Amino acid sequence: MTIRQDTKPTSWVFIDPLGAFRWENPSAINELYFPICNDAGMMASVTPRMHGDATTGQHTFLRRPLVMEDLHNTRSTRNFWVYSERFGALSLTGCSARQFAESAADCELVRTTIQATFLAHSLIREDTKHGVRSEITHFCPVTDDKIEITRVRITNIGGAALSFQPTTCFPIYGRSADNLRDHNHWTSLSHRMELNDYGLVVTPEMHHDEAGHRPNHSSYFVLAYGGDGEKPIGQIPTVRELIGEGNFDWPDSISANRSPDYTPPNRRDGMEAVGAIRFARRTLAPGESCEYIVIEGVTEDKRLILRCIDRYGSSAKVREALDANNEYWRRRVERISFETADPNFDRWMRWVALQPILRKIYGNSFLPHFDYGRGGRGWRDLWQDCLALLLQDPDEIRSSLISYFDGIRLDGSNATIINKEKGDFAADRNRISRVWMDHGVWPYLTLRLYIDQTGDLGIIDEERTYWKDHQLCRAKARDTHWTPADGMKHKTRNGLVYTGSILEHILVQHLTCFCNVGEHNNMKLEDADWNDLLDLANEKGESVPFTAIYGRNLIEIADLISHYSEVSGVNELVLSREVLYLTGLNTPLDYDSPATKQQRLQEYFHRLHSSFAGEKESVPVVVLAAELARMGKWVLQHVSAHEWIESKSGYCFFNGYYNNDGERVDGDHEDGLRMNLTAQTFAIMSGAATDQQTARAYEASKSILKDPNTGGYRLTTPLGPNKWNFGRGFAVVYGEKETGGAFNHMAVMFLNGLYRRGFVREGYEVFSTIYRLANDPVKARIYPGIPEYINSEGQGKYHYLSGSASWLLMTMLTRIFGIRGEYGDLVFDPKLVREQFGQDGRAKALAYFRGHRIIVIYENSRLLGVCRE
């Protein structure tokens, strides 16, 4: 049950030039959360009421795993209680039954403020009714400790002395997220508890999994101490003893201030645990303050638990750790920063710059909105996050970038999950055989950005293995002879592990898709493309937008190898004979015939899986480049000529898809005009659209796709009745997610394409829409940053772990400010508009290029409309 405790939320405001912000009374927002994490692997979230979970992975949750609805439906939050003879039990987070009940009457007497920096979150409560001011700060130290530190500072703001007794309340879940609905009680019975002078440690006897039980090596702990080193006087270590017949909002032992019955070294095994740690009574004079520190964490080595007391065992040490945390994250986000006419934008972009780093840590899991992840990083997410990370520090990511190519199969598909250990791949999060047809696009785009930023052309020569599992022929067949014991690397018929250059890996992905076409000669949709909701058209479905972008990539790959040859003097490339068979070099290939291209692909699959010897042959660079360019140009001309729609209403735009009945999805229908943004984005970005088509596609998008309520660019119009021939998106109410939400990821790519093509004012209009919606806290109801999408009510959804952040950061630096590399040469090509220059006529960007910190200042003293030089 949720009862509004505070007054109506205001808006967050930045409070320093670095991006720290403050928000008055945000507790009324149920879906607001903030990430707390570190590189060691601690991943947590915290809300304005201190709710949120914490984990180091799918099977090691310190606190109970949460989804969005749990943030207001469940009571097992972090909490800190004080008991005074004057007013009884008081929660410093406001989460008590009495405070909820009295909230309406007390709204003028209790003021809540959230203050946040990179990456620390503080809850400040001014409670004039009880004379208590509290400031509770959460952060994860930038060390090798998988812990979260909570610092609680209590100040007497009344006119008389204040006596109270503090008790922490930090519930411990201590097991796999799977155990929420799989032997939840049984797994608690396997818990073993140890108490020490500062808190408790819970160590399950085993990791329960009926597919194969495993020994458990993880321990979960909560420690607490006074800021001056004061030890606790006792503990109430189980939920049953803490709450009695009450609940976490009004625990019996706290509301009655009962003395702890258990002191070290007693144990309480097989019960749900809680870090309810009691301290001695404290008296504060008016204006006086005191501090308490709580440390929660997960470890595989119990010896490290009490080391936390040595490292963080006083207020001074915690302040040092907090300062180090703030400095570490500040340095990371300011590697790319901007100074424009809008200081709020400059600070907001620092939070955008943080998001790709968060995705590297969290993957697509472990924050409340992301209830479908189980750890690891998705293939598409991995490569797109690298776009921003490469701009921030390309040298740091080179070895990882190379290793990711090991996840590509020789049939052109790939592993879809990349786990934390380098080279550790998984076929699918849910063990389903399926292929996303867009997955071959992203490795090349990321590789090309890396080469442009560094000039490291030699990376395309790096030899890598190919991934192997049970899937064959892009998940259309199964290798019944293969077992995991055979290894996860593709072997020749002689049992030798096969390797190919990174260039060959890129070609495999593009050439297989070039041949894998449907009856309209567009590349097959297979089990979905970038839009995961289009997952019911794997027989006759076709994806026009990604056909276009594959075409552009082929042209660029031709240019890449030509430049490589010019720089290196290498005139021939050595590539797999089978891979070259997918081109028309040795055996002519009729591009206009879908049947011929499909036949070529099936013959390739047959060669690959029946007689693959790993033989290679040399091909002249000039010959291969001409063939790839010819293939790419054919694709773009095909899309421009055959997928352009002139509707009855007069609007013109590109068709996006064909469904599983082979029917064109977009255009005029009995129930109205159908259109999607993805098709316009990639037709424009790829160059398939002519300048005239680009202008008309933008006008159609602006007129048809903009949400009349929010002004955001929706991903699609309503797609008519569900005929079970296109995807699960029909089940989603229109106005949410990919089904009619203002989907920022695609909108950012749309503006990227417009800027690429020189449509600056049009691109700026799209950008302004995104920025305005994300920076309306009252409607968006999120902290600074760019969410995955804005729904039809204006609320931001799926915050922090959105691929839109990488694309926005890259677009702002390389297209709008025009600071980018081209084969290692630094290029300046700004497309700033008048409004982005300050009163002094300047716009400034800070970035890194080839190991050097660069500061670029554009001067536009006459405040011209568009800066191009």
Side-chain angles (χ1 to χ4, degrees):
M1 178 176 65
T2 298
I3 301 174
R4 179 165 293 186
Q5 182 168 349
D6 300 301
T7 57
K8 182 179 179 180
T10 58
S11 299
W12 51 257
V13 292
F14 290 116
I15 57 176
D16 70 21
L18 301 178
F21 65 88
R22 179 187 296 121
W23 195 342
E24 303 286 345
N25 297 318
S27 301
I29 301 176
N30 287 333
E31 298 185 3
L32 193 60
Y33 58 85
F34 187 86
I36 296 290
C37 61
N38 63 14
D39 290 326
M42 194 63 178
M43 299 172 287
S45 59
V46 60
T47 76
R49 298 190 191 280
M50 277 178 54
H51 215 331
D53 59 24
T55 185
T56 60
Q58 175 70 9
H59 302 300
T60 49
F61 270 81
L62 170 63
R63 284 195 297 279
R64 184 181 178 89
L66 301 174
V67 298
M68 283 305 303
E69 291 301 304
D70 294 323
L71 296 183
H72 60 87
N73 275 341
T74 59
R75 294 185 168 102
S76 57
T77 70
R78 310 170 182 89
N79 212 332
F80 196 98
W81 296 83
V82 294
Y83 183 91
S84 171
E85 297 296 337
R86 186 197 306 170
F87 49 70
L90 181 73
S91 164
L92 299 187
T93 70
C95 291
S96 79
R98 189 183 71 186
Q99 287 164 276
F100 282 138
E102 297 173 352
S103 61
D106 293 346
C107 65
E108 300 299 325
L109 302 174
V110 180
R111 186 177 68 182
T112 300
T113 303
I114 295 299
Q115 190 163 304
T117 61
F118 304 99
L119 266 171
H121 181 279
S122 295
L123 164 62
I124 304 166
R125 287 177 57 84
E126 297 268 359
D127 186 342
T128 56
K129 177 180 179 179
H130 300 103
V132 178
R133 181 187 191 275
S134 59
E135 181 173 348
I136 305 176
T137 299
H138 298 275
F139 70 99
C140 294
V142 287
T143 64
D144 58 352
D145 294 311
K146 299 175 184 177
I147 64 171
E148 177 186 312
I149 297 177
T150 302
R151 181 184 68 183
V152 182
R153 182 173 179 82
I154 305 171
T155 303
N156 179 3
I157 58 173
L162 173 65
S163 295
F164 60 89
Q165 188 151 36
T167 307
T168 70
C169 183
F170 286 67
I172 295 176
Y173 175 75
R175 50 200 187 270
S176 171
D178 296 344
N179 297 135
L180 272 179
R181 295 292 301 169
D182 182 6
H183 292 82
N184 185 280
H185 178 243
W186 191 98
T187 49
S188 73
L189 297 176
S190 76
H191 284 186
R192 301 294 183 265
M193 184 186 298
E194 302 172 48
L195 306 184
N196 58 51
D197 288 345
Y198 296 95
L200 70 160
V201 182
V202 173
T203 308
E205 280 289 291
M206 65 185 295
H207 173 73
H208 180 276
D209 183 350
E210 290 183 328
H213 302 307
R214 303 187 300 276
N216 168 66
H217 303 292
S218 298
S219 295
Y220 309 86
F221 60 92
V222 178
L223 310 174
Y225 49 90
D228 55 2
E230 173 193 359
K231 289 185 177 181
I233 63 171
Q235 301 184 54
I236 312 166
T238 69
V239 173
R240 179 185 299 174
E241 294 160 307
L242 175 71
I243 69 173
E245 297 305 318
N247 54 48
F248 277 117
D249 287 349
W250 200 247
D252 284 356
S253 61
I254 290 177
S255 62
N257 200 36
R258 292 175 185 157
S259 298
D261 294 327
Y262 297 95
T263 56
N266 293 303
R267 302 168 63 98
R268 295 294 287 163
D269 294 338
M271 302 182 72
E272 296 286 1
V274 60
I277 302 169
R278 178 70 58 80
F279 288 89
R281 182 176 297 276
R282 190 77 173 250
T283 300
L284 297 178
E288 188 178 5
S289 301
C290 64
E291 289 188 355
Y292 296 91
I293 311 297
V294 182
I295 298 176
E296 336 165 61
V298 183
T299 184
E300 288 72 49
D301 186 349
K302 287 186 182 180
R303 295 172 299 177
L304 302 181
I305 294 175
L306 291 181
R307 185 184 72 173
C308 293
I309 301 298
D310 296 330
R311 287 187 167 187
Y312 317 104
S314 68
S315 290
K317 290 182 177 179
V318 169
R319 279 195 296 272
E320 290 177 4
L322 180 58
D323 289 343
N325 171 84
N326 292 339
E327 177 63 17
Y328 173 80
W329 290 108
R330 181 191 64 79
R331 289 200 313 269
R332 292 198 70 174
V333 300
E334 73 175 8
R335 289 178 177 177
I336 299 175
S337 58
F338 306 95
E339 292 183 22
T340 66
D342 182 359
N344 270 2
F345 164 77
D346 305 336
R347 298 166 188 173
W348 178 75
M349 279 300 298
R350 289 173 179 260
W351 290 97
V352 172
L354 173 69
Q355 292 180 228
I357 303 171
L358 294 177
R359 285 244 293 199
K360 185 178 179 182
I361 295 172
Y362 286 86
N364 241 18
S365 312
F366 310 131
L367 285 179
H369 264 128
F370 298 85
D371 51 12
Y372 49 81
R374 296 177 58 85
R377 302 167 72 190
W379 181 263
R380 184 189 308 120
D381 308 324
L382 177 88
W383 294 97
Q384 293 190 83
D385 293 344
C386 284
L387 296 173
L389 299 175
L390 281 171
L391 294 171
Q392 292 168 327
D393 191 348
D395 294 335
E396 180 183 281
I397 207 167
R398 185 183 194 274
S399 62
S400 296
L401 186 69
I402 291 172
S403 72
Y404 299 152
F405 283 93
D406 294 347
I408 296 172
R409 298 186 185 94
L410 267 168
D411 66 2
S413 65
N414 51 267
T416 65
I417 296 295
I418 295 83
N419 295 313
K420 287 190 174 182
E421 296 299 321
K422 192 175 290 186
D424 184 10
F425 302 98
D428 187 88
R429 178 173 61 242
N430 297 312
R431 300 179 182 179
I432 302 171
S433 292
R434 53 184 170 176
V435 171
W436 281 265
M437 64 82 62
D438 69 300
H439 277 185
V441 164
W442 312 112
Y444 168 73
L445 291 179
T446 306
L447 177 71
R448 182 57 184 267
L449 179 64
Y450 169 81
I451 291 172
D452 281 338
Q453 293 298 113
T454 64
D456 181 12
L457 285 160
I459 193 173
I460 68 174
D461 277 335
E462 294 277 352
E463 290 278 317
R464 306 305 301 179
T465 58
Y466 287 88
W467 201 57
K468 178 74 175 85
D469 66 348
H470 64 280
Q471 290 187 196
L472 297 177
C473 306
R474 300 181 70 86
K476 295 298 185 183
R478 184 182 183 91
D479 187 344
T480 57
H481 301 291
W482 178 88
T483 68
D486 296 323
M488 310 299 290
K489 298 178 180 179
H490 201 106
K491 298 176 182 178
T492 67
R493 65 189 182 196
N494 296 322
L496 300 176
V497 173
Y498 176 74
T499 63
S501 66
I502 284 180
L503 173 63
E504 183 182 283
H505 284 66
I506 292 291
L507 290 174
V508 166
Q509 292 183 300
H510 285 73
L511 296 177
T512 51
C513 283
F514 181 84
C515 293
N516 191 26
V517 295
E519 61 186 78
H520 302 92
N521 223 343
N522 300 296
M523 297 174 194
K524 283 199 165 186
L525 181 57
E526 298 182 274
D527 297 298
D529 63 6
W530 171 90
N531 188 342
D532 296 332
L533 301 191
L534 309 182
D535 58 353
L536 293 176
N538 62 1
E539 294 177 2
K540 293 187 176 182
E542 299 175 36
S543 172
V544 175
F546 283 94
T547 296
I549 206 68
Y550 274 112
R552 189 199 76 164
N553 282 1
L554 284 167
I555 295 170
E556 288 196 1
I557 295 168
D559 183 74
L560 171 63
I561 62 175
S562 297
H563 189 79
Y564 167 76
S565 176
E566 179 183 337
V567 171
S568 67
V570 174
N571 296 318
E572 293 188 340
L573 297 171
V574 179
L575 298 167
S576 162
R577 179 169 294 172
E578 281 78 8
V579 173
L580 289 174
Y581 179 68
L582 288 169
T583 69
L585 288 177
N586 298 326
T587 306
L589 180 61
D590 183 1
Y591 298 166
D592 293 316
S593 171
T596 300
K597 289 156 82 172
Q598 269 294 339
Q599 182 181 356
R600 181 66 59 90
L601 181 65
Q602 298 309 314
E603 290 170 353
Y604 169 74
F605 288 158
H606 178 74
R607 291 185 178 196
L608 194 63
H609 303 303
S610 64
S611 59
F612 181 65
E615 296 176 350
K616 299 190 179 186
E617 63 180 72
S618 296
V619 57
V621 172
V622 65
V623 173
L624 179 60
E627 177 69 1
L628 296 176
R630 189 167 72 92
M631 297 169 84
K633 290 175 182 177
W634 179 92
V635 170
L636 299 188
Q637 291 166 0
H638 167 80
V639 170
S640 180
H642 296 282
E643 300 302 337
W644 181 247
I645 294 173
E646 296 183 1
S647 71
K648 295 176 183 178
S649 61
Y651 290 113
C652 298
F653 51 86
F654 285 92
N655 171 53
Y657 297 94
Y658 291 86
N659 62 28
N660 214 34
D661 293 322
E663 301 167 334
R664 175 176 277 182
V665 170
D666 296 320
D668 292 305
H669 290 264
E670 291 182 1
D671 56 355
L673 192 62
R674 298 179 191 171
M675 178 187 181
N676 77 84
L677 187 62
T678 310
Q680 319 321 310
T681 296
F682 288 117
I684 292 169
M685 185 186 293
S686 67
T690 64
D691 286 348
Q692 183 181 14
Q693 287 175 325
T694 298
R696 300 200 69 178
Y698 166 75
E699 288 301 326
S701 300
K702 188 176 180 181
S703 299
I704 299 170
L705 293 177
K706 292 198 78 171
D707 189 319
N709 183 42
T710 66
Y713 278 86
R714 295 175 294 195
L715 190 62
T716 180
T717 59
L719 295 176
N722 183 10
K723 297 182 180 180
W724 294 90
N725 63 357
F726 196 30
R728 59 189 162 103
F730 286 93
V732 178
V733 62
Y734 188 72
E736 296 283 346
K737 287 288 282 181
E738 292 94 336
T739 308
F743 215 83
N744 282 326
H745 195 169
M746 188 53 63
V748 172
M749 289 193 279
F750 184 45
L751 75 91
N752 179 284
L754 289 168
Y755 274 102
R756 280 176 180 267
R757 299 294 300 276
F759 287 75
V760 176
R761 271 294 166 189
E762 293 82 354
Y764 183 71
E765 184 273 329
V766 179
F767 159 74
S768 299
T769 299
I770 295 169
Y771 176 57
R772 174 180 57 79
L773 290 175
N775 283 268
D776 183 353
V778 175
K779 283 188 176 181
R781 305 168 79 84
I782 56 173
Y783 290 133
I786 183 168
E788 180 184 78
Y789 76 97
I790 302 287
N791 70 9
S792 58
E793 297 173 347
Q795 184 173 4
K797 297 281 190 172
Y798 292 76
H799 198 12
Y800 296 113
L801 307 183
S802 166
S804 51
S806 285
W807 273 88
L808 182 57
L809 188 65
M810 180 181 69
T811 301
M812 186 58 58
L813 181 68
T814 65
R815 296 296 163 183
I816 298 178
F817 272 79
I819 304 168
R820 61 180 181 271
E822 289 185 7
Y823 292 126
D825 294 331
L826 183 57
V827 173
F828 300 105
D829 180 26
K831 293 182 173 65
L832 295 156
V833 298
R834 180 174 53 249
E835 298 93 304
Q836 292 173 297
F837 289 90
Q839 292 182 349
D840 60 357
R842 290 187 168 194
K844 179 179 177 181
L846 290 81
Y848 278 88
F849 188 77
R850 302 194 69 166
H852 298 282
R853 181 69 158 159
I854 62 172
I855 301 173
V856 179
I857 300 173
Y858 294 118
E859 292 192 355
N860 183 12
S861 58
R862 291 184 293 167
L863 294 179
L864 301 176
V866 177
C867 175
R868 294 183 182 274
E869 300 180 356

